[in-house]
Amino acid sequence: KLTGGAWHQSGDILSNVAVGQYTIEFGDIYGWDTPQNQAVTIQDGITTTANGVYVQQTGCLTVTITPPEAAQAGVQWRVDGGDWHYSGYTLCNVSVGQHTLEYKGVQGWYAPSTRTVNIENGSTTVIYGTSTPEGTFYIIPGKGKGATVIYLE
């Protein structure tokens, strides 16, 4: 916006602006660093242009697969359908906000459950995903509350 006036979209052209000194203010956008205000001088008969560059905010994500046997067997993870990564890998330049963290199991190991993770600007989010061994589970209902789970390899 131009010195307290109405907000405008990128690329808008303002006409009939009086000659003088003005300040251009850029609006905040979640997940982006806002450009600083700019002083401009409007002169008679001369077109004045101003540019502001928004920079996307990013952070990193480190995911550790547990137990170590599952990680060694090759259980992997990825964010928002991107490339698969192994346990311990740190993925940087992830945009701030919420993302979907998905796992891929391997023979002998179930994948941890898909979950949402939040990335903060300039920070590393650390997540632990717990795999469970494949096998047969029997659930024996208990009387009242609870149940007994028996795992057979």
Side-chain angles (χ1 to χ4, degrees):
K1 67 182 176 177
L2 188 65
T3 307
W7 288 104
H8 297 277
Q9 297 296 316
S10 178
D12 282 358
I13 298 173
L14 304 179
S15 300
N16 301 317
V17 177
V19 170
Q21 297 281 353
Y22 294 91
T23 299
I24 296 179
E25 180 183 346
F26 296 92
D28 293 333
I29 301 173
Y30 175 77
W32 295 80
D33 290 331
T34 305
Q36 293 197 2
N37 294 349
Q38 294 181 18
V40 294
T41 302
I42 304 299
Q43 298 176 10
D44 189 33
I46 298 176
T47 300
T48 302
T49 60
N51 295 304
V53 177
Y54 286 81
V55 177
Q56 189 169 31
Q57 298 173 347
T58 62
C60 296
L61 175 64
T62 300
V63 178
T64 300
I65 308 293
T66 61
E69 295 82 6
Q72 291 165 359
V75 174
Q76 295 179 314
W77 63 273
R78 68 180 177 180
V79 175
D80 297 333
D83 294 336
W84 290 103
H85 304 285
Y86 290 101
S87 180
Y89 183 79
T90 299
L91 179 64
C92 289
N93 296 316
V94 181
S95 61
V96 299
Q98 294 188 337
H99 297 272
T100 301
L101 173 59
E102 176 185 12
Y103 298 91
K104 178 170 65 171
V106 295
Q107 185 174 359
W109 293 94
Y110 290 114
S113 297
T114 297
R115 63 183 287 186
T116 299
V117 296
N118 189 54
I119 303 299
E120 295 183 12
N121 188 34
S123 297
T124 298
T125 301
V126 178
I127 300 293
Y128 293 89
T130 303
S131 293
T132 54
E134 289 180 349
T136 303
F137 289 87
Y138 291 95
I139 300 175
I140 303 169
K143 294 184 179 182
K145 293 183 177 180
T148 301
V149 177
I150 300 173
Y151 173 72
L152 302 174
E153 291 190 47

